[in-house]
Amino acid sequence: MDKYMSPDYKFLQICCYYKIYKGHRLFLLMNRIIDTHAYVGSNKMLGVDSKPEIYIALKDKILKTTGHSIRFLLMAYSKGDNFELPKIIAENPDLFLGGYLQINPNKSLERMLGYSSPSELEGIIKSGKIVGLKLHTSMTKTRVDSDSLDEFSKLAIDYDLPIMFHCAATGQKFAHPDFFRRLRDKNRNLKIICAHYGGLNEEYIPEYIDLVVEDSQMYLNTTGLSGDIKRWIVENSPPAIYFEKNAQRWEKLFSETIGAIKKKVIFGSDFPELDFSLHPINMANQEIQRKVLHDNAVKLFRLENIF
């Protein structure tokens, strides 16, 4: 397997020229893509370590095989990486448009995950290059409507930054549409991104579709819709990992739901956690591809004069 592309994605590139992919009409992609969910840094507990250099190879590969230019929004794996993020972005302006700071409102997990106060994070935000905050709800064992998140929500609102929330496929203990409604009641101006299309679970994704339709400040991202999913069971020590690979699993759900929320969905690959893939967005019509792969992110992250 190519280090940066799944076989399914490479096959897609060949088929692009014939506008056929697995029996579907396929539209050629636009020439600019923003990946809003990619990682840099290390996390000893998860056994991950990704360097900025891997994005140089990925960008070049995409340009060579498709003719399309891509930029990334990075998120740090850990508290320590938060402080390095602005420097990494500033040193690689042709790769990275900005980054998210990881937050951990649960001080009882400080020894394992670290803890940065809102004032510490504000100092990093003022240095520039930060476009959002990220809360891994399961890892930090924090409900999205927890009072412990209030100071972080205020910080995000003050700097007009969205907060991205991890939504799990294994349950709604920490992220549930009703919890997001309570979060919204407390923070009317907060911009919210629900990762993994609301959790990659057919039983409750429709609830997130309804939530995004009703709330102008809420978005979904597409991480995991490619069907190439890496799941962490963080309750285990060390965390257990298992993989799912099923490219067809989410095609129908995406095609049936995207029309109602086409202005509220942003593309994310979860690279390098997952192989880079544009599936199933690349099977949508040109208008939806343009919005999901570029325009919606430009509007949400205020990138109009950047990319």
Side-chain angles (χ1 to χ4, degrees):
M1 180 188 297
D2 183 282
K3 184 176 180 180
Y4 302 105
M5 300 284 187
S6 65
D8 190 59
Y9 182 77
K10 289 190 290 185
F11 178 68
L12 168 61
Q13 303 312 320
I14 298 171
C15 294
C16 275
Y17 297 102
Y18 298 94
K19 297 188 179 182
I20 298 173
Y21 179 59
K22 294 182 179 177
H24 298 270
R25 183 180 179 188
L26 182 68
F27 293 85
L28 297 179
L29 303 174
M30 58 176 299
N31 63 2
R32 287 182 296 170
I33 299 169
I34 299 175
D35 184 345
T36 68
H37 194 125
Y39 285 96
V40 69
S42 61
N43 186 305
K44 292 182 179 179
M45 184 178 72
L46 299 179
V48 293
D49 186 13
S50 63
K51 306 294 185 184
E53 290 76 16
I54 63 175
Y55 290 95
I56 299 174
L58 178 59
K59 178 191 172 187
D60 291 346
K61 186 76 171 183
I62 292 170
L63 183 62
K64 181 179 179 180
T65 57
T66 73
H68 305 301
S69 180
I70 187 167
R71 299 292 186 273
F72 304 90
L73 300 180
L74 291 179
M75 56 189 74
Y77 270 119
S78 64
K79 172 188 174 181
D81 295 323
N82 277 342
F83 294 94
E84 296 297 319
L85 202 56
K87 180 182 176 183
I88 292 171
I89 295 166
E91 290 177 348
N92 299 276
D94 293 335
L95 285 172
F96 309 129
L97 298 176
Y100 308 79
L101 300 178
Q102 287 280 3
I103 60 177
N104 170 29
N106 189 346
K107 291 185 178 181
S108 69
L109 296 177
E110 180 176 3
R111 185 173 181 179
M112 180 174 66
L113 300 177
Y115 175 82
S116 294
S117 68
S119 60
E120 283 183 288
L121 296 177
E122 184 173 21
I124 303 173
I125 292 169
K126 287 180 177 178
S127 70
K129 309 300 182 183
I130 301 305
V131 299
L133 306 180
K134 165 71 185 298
L135 174 66
H136 196 299
T137 53
S138 304
M139 191 77 70
T140 63
K141 304 185 185 306
T142 302
R143 268 180 44 161
V144 301
D145 59 347
S146 169
D147 291 343
S148 66
L149 190 62
D150 288 350
E151 287 186 283
F152 297 93
S153 297
K154 182 179 184 304
L155 178 65
I157 293 170
D158 288 346
Y159 286 89
D160 196 19
L161 305 176
I163 300 182
M164 180 186 292
F165 294 88
H166 172 77
C167 296
T170 52
Q172 297 179 293
K173 181 178 180 180
F174 302 107
H176 184 283
D178 288 341
F179 302 166
F180 279 110
R181 290 184 177 96
R182 283 195 279 273
L183 172 66
R184 164 66 66 238
D185 288 342
K186 293 195 292 183
N187 303 278
R188 297 306 304 173
N189 296 318
L190 180 64
K191 296 177 181 177
I192 296 168
I193 304 168
C194 299
H196 311 299
Y197 219 63
L200 296 178
N201 186 312
E202 293 94 333
E203 293 184 9
Y204 48 76
I205 279 181
E207 300 176 41
Y208 283 88
I209 302 297
D210 293 341
L211 186 64
V212 170
V213 168
E214 74 184 49
D215 195 318
S216 63
Q217 297 279 62
M218 294 199 66
Y219 293 77
L220 302 180
N221 82 12
T222 65
T223 44
L225 285 182
S226 64
D228 184 11
I229 304 170
K230 182 178 182 180
R231 300 206 187 278
W232 298 94
I233 305 176
V234 297
E235 290 78 9
N236 292 18
S237 184
I241 307 170
Y242 68 97
F243 292 87
E244 293 182 11
K245 291 183 179 290
N246 186 343
Q248 289 75 45
R249 180 176 181 183
W250 305 106
E251 288 176 6
K252 186 173 185 290
L253 184 144
F254 180 76
S255 65
E256 290 176 347
T257 57
I258 189 60
I261 55 173
K262 61 187 177 183
K263 296 181 180 180
K264 308 294 292 299
V265 177
I266 56 177
F267 169 63
S269 70
D270 227 347
F271 184 81
E273 289 287 292
L274 304 179
D275 289 333
F276 185 87
S277 175
L278 297 170
H279 186 75
I281 302 129
N282 48 26
M283 302 179 71
N285 64 46
Q286 289 176 324
E287 178 194 12
I288 289 174
Q289 286 192 46
R290 185 176 64 252
K291 290 182 182 301
V292 175
L293 294 174
H294 181 266
D295 293 358
N296 294 343
V298 167
K299 180 178 179 182
L300 175 59
F301 297 105
R302 296 171 287 132
L303 301 173
E304 288 85 354
N305 299 318
I306 301 175
F307 187 67

